[in-house]
Amino acid sequence: FSARVPYGERDEFEPGLSGFVRSAQADDPFSPLRGVSYKRWELQPQLRWRRRMSKTLVGELGPFVSLGQHGLSRSAGAQQPTLAEAKLNTALEAHWSKSALIGFNLTWDLDTPGKPFDGGNIRAMFLF
């Protein structure tokens, strides 16, 4: 869930909340552990700030937190650790038209000092 809130002529804020629940047999799909199941859930509050930098270019800065639990089922007798992660998403989107954009996204890990870069992606979106 999220809501876009315009702020001035060039800026927009988007407070939101996402989440998921997932079950699996093992973290490594090529080596499943028989009889052991995982249950993972997360809630991810976020606040994105978008700024129109030019007619076609939009920049984004978005801190978010992941809170949840990831662990083995109780039948396996393992602990269920609590997740708490802080991340920062940076993005640059090129809007070619009202129905097409290409985005370049980088994610930064704020709570792991030795590993600041946490991945990225390139996204092409065509609306019809």
Side-chain angles (χ1 to χ4, degrees), residues 32-79:
L33 302 171
R34 292 181 187 259
V36 177
S37 63
Y38 288 79
K39 185 79 155 192
R40 178 178 180 155
W41 66 268
E42 282 188 39
L43 287 176
Q44 300 170 335
Q46 65 189 20
L47 176 63
R48 296 172 189 248
W49 168 41
R50 289 189 187 90
R51 173 164 268 227
R52 182 160 296 283
M53 301 165 73
S54 72
K55 216 172 193 181
T56 59
L57 208 55
V58 175
E60 179 180 298
L61 191 62
F64 66 94
V65 180
S66 289
L67 304 168
Q69 192 172 54
H70 181 205
L72 296 168
S73 66
R74 298 231 183 254
S75 64
Q79 295 292 333

